[in-house]
């Protein structure tokens, strides 16, 4: 790739320039906060959402029975807005949709949010603007913007494997569905259901199917640990492991702080992790009765970060759910007894419905081929500075593309950092330095079609510290100390983020027509 423009080389920021126009793809957790934050610093934002509602992965069009957050309602929030007390302890999809819609519409005019609108193509023109072609209720449109923010996320679209024999299976009356196509779950009624996968979604669907289906089987290629909400260790909860600084260190997050070196200078770093990990693994085993169920994973507990689904292990215990571990689907088919799923060990499971809870693909196919080629490495990985900024494509950002339990807050902090970039409040290193330091983010492209999931590690509390520092703010020391053993509270970050945004120069100003010699074009298709 050529080393030409840095991502801020052609940002218009002088007082005679028109108002900065930003296109945001996606109206989920990340798109909502990106839109609000960039609007707050004076950008003119347009949000494109292909679903008919705000919510992204929580959209009613992608719902499945039992869909709920892994975080509780106190941690699955933005910093300055609590989830209402009417929401469930682990908010359901409808709770999250209402929360996101309220947050968006309080800060962004409804006219700038285009629902049921798909971005067909995003291309960068010779003058540095982004040409966005979209299709919605009013037909096709072509418009120009200064920045493009991809907030459609790592859960852009479900991945359904191309299993051999699917045509035969469906001709015999079988159905293959992604979880988001289940809706209220009517398709599972009195059906022989096979769920493929072992993630939270797979277990949610299986637990629900066990209450409605004639039979429920789960096909799990690899068993990983699932944390119960309470571990039975002096009140220790799931959130103490994934939402505290001490917990992050325990499950494998690497810290290079002086405190960490002091604590571990006489002991190899891995030893306390292994020992404490075994203690927690035994506690999880006892709580969920994994050994008795034959579901004890072979992996280290610190490599997992999934929460157990209520009722799942109970369904396995009473025989309503049967788990086929270390198996995969060899093919689908049909015989004289009807449709079936054949496993890798030759077992045949009669099945009316196969639910493919087999992960997601990251959608970047809206990028023009030349843009995608420049944005990715030869093996098909995005290079993102601070997990946000495309290193080799000016004015292209990705919000919410890193796995995390704190997705509303981490997306909010990423959006604030991006606002700092577009306003000039954040100084960037050279493109070559960013390229050397950037984490590769594998995505499915024509050059690497087999890639479907991100390889980036979860964003951790120390990452958030570093990003806040680049904005010139920090959490109080007392808050950081409290976060050692107590789960973080997004409200802890509200004041720091307010301060950071208040210090940024505003982009808000009158937008004269083509003041910089570039007409903003819009045409009906």
């Amino acid at each position: 790739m050529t080393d030409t423009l840095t991502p801020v080389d052609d940002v218009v920021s002088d007082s005679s320039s028109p108002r900065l126009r930003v296109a945001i793809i996606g109206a989920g957790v990340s798109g909502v906060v990106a839109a609000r934050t960039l609007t707050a610093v004076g950008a003119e934002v347009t949000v494109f959402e292909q679903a008919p509602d705000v919510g992204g992965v929580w959209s009613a069009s992608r719902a499945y029975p039992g869909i709920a957050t892994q975080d509780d309602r106190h941690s699955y929030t933005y910093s300055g807005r609590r989830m209402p007390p009417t929401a469930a302890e682990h908010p359901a999809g409808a709770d999250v949709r209402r929360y996101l819609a309220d947050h968006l519409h309080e800060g962004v005019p409804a006219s700038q949010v285009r629902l049921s609108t798909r971005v067909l193509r995003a291309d960068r023109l010779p003058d540095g603007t982004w040409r966005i072609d979209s299709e919605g209720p009013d037909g096709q449109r072509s418009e120009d913007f200064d920045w493009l923010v991809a907030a459609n996320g790592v859960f852009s679209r479900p991945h359904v494997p191309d299993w051999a024999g699917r045509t035969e299976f469906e001709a015999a009356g079988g159905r293959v569905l992604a979880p988001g196509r289940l809706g209220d779950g009517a398709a599972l009624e009195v059906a022989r259901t096979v769920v493929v996968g072992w993630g939270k979604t797979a277990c949610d669907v299986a637990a629900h199917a066990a209450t409605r289906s004639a039979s429920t089987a789960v096909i799990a290629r690899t068993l990983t640990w699932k944390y119960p909400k309470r571990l039975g260790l002096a009140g220790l909860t799931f959130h103490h492991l994934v939402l505290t600084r001490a917990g992050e260190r325990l499950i494998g997050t690497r810290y290079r702080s002086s405190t960490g070196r002091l604590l571990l200078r006489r002991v190899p770093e891995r030893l306390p992790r292994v020992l404490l990990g075994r203690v927690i693994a035994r506690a999880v085993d006892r709580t969920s009765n994994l050994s008795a169920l034959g579901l004890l994973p072979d992996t280290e507990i610190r490599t997992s970060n999934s929460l157990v689904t209520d009722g799942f292990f109970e369904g396995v215990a009473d025989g309503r759910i049967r788990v086929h571990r270390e198996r995969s689907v060899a093919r689908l088919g049909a015989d004289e007894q009807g449709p079936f799923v054949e496993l890798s060990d030759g077992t045949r499971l009669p099945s009316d419905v196969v639910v493919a809870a087999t992960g997601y693909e990251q959608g970047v196919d809206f990028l023009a081929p030349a843009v995608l080629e420049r944005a990715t490495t030869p093996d098909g990985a995005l290079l993102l500075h601070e997990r946000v900024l495309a290193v080799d494509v000016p004015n292209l950002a990705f919000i919410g593309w890193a796995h995390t339990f704190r997705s509303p807050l981490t997306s909010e902090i990423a959006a604030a950092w991006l606002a700092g970039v577009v306003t000039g409040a954040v100084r960037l290193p050279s493109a070559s330095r960013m390229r050397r330091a950037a984490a590769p983010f594998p995505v499915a492209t024509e050059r690497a079609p087999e890639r479907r999931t991100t390889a980036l590690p979860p964003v951790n509390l120390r990452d958030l510290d570093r990003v806040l520092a680049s904005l010139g703010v920090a959490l109080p020391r007392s808050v950081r100390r409290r976060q050692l053993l107590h789960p973080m509270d997004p409200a802890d970050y509200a004041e720091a983020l307010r301060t950071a945004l208040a210090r940024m120069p505003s982009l808000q100003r009158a937008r004269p027509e083509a003041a910089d010699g570039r007409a903003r074009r819009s045409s009906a298709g």
Side-chain angles (χ1 to χ4, degrees), residues 409-495:
L409 178 66
T410 52
S411 291
E412 183 181 10
I413 292 175
W417 183 84
L418 179 60
V421 171
V422 302
T423 61
V426 171
R427 295 181 61 85
L428 295 173
S430 68
S432 58
R433 287 185 63 186
M434 286 193 291
R435 192 177 299 115
R436 287 194 299 270
F441 187 163
V443 294
T445 66
E446 289 185 0
R447 287 176 287 173
E450 74 284 356
R451 289 181 166 172
R452 299 183 181 94
T453 57
T454 172
L456 286 178
V459 176
N460 60 62
L461 292 166
R462 289 299 298 273
D463 290 329
L464 302 186
D465 292 344
R466 188 188 66 252
V467 175
L468 289 178
S470 72
L471 290 170
V473 294
L475 291 179
R477 186 173 298 176
S478 60
V479 171
R480 296 198 300 272
R481 284 198 297 263
R482 187 175 74 244
Q483 289 177 343
L484 278 172
L485 299 176
H486 294 276
M488 57 83 74
D489 183 346
D492 292 338
Y493 293 80
E495 184 59 34

Side-chain angles (χ1 to χ4, degrees), residues 84-104:
T86 54
E89 184 65 19
H90 287 265
D95 295 323
V96 182
R97 287 196 299 275
R98 284 190 292 269
Y99 175 82
L100 294 177
D102 289 346
H103 193 69
L104 177 65

Side-chain angles (χ1 to χ4, degrees), residues 10-36:
D10 58 358
V11 174
V12 180
S13 59
D14 63 274
S15 60
S16 64
S17 299
R19 190 174 173 191
L20 198 78
R21 298 192 72 197
V22 180
I24 297 177
I25 301 177
V29 166
S30 301
V32 163
V33 76
R36 278 209 56 164

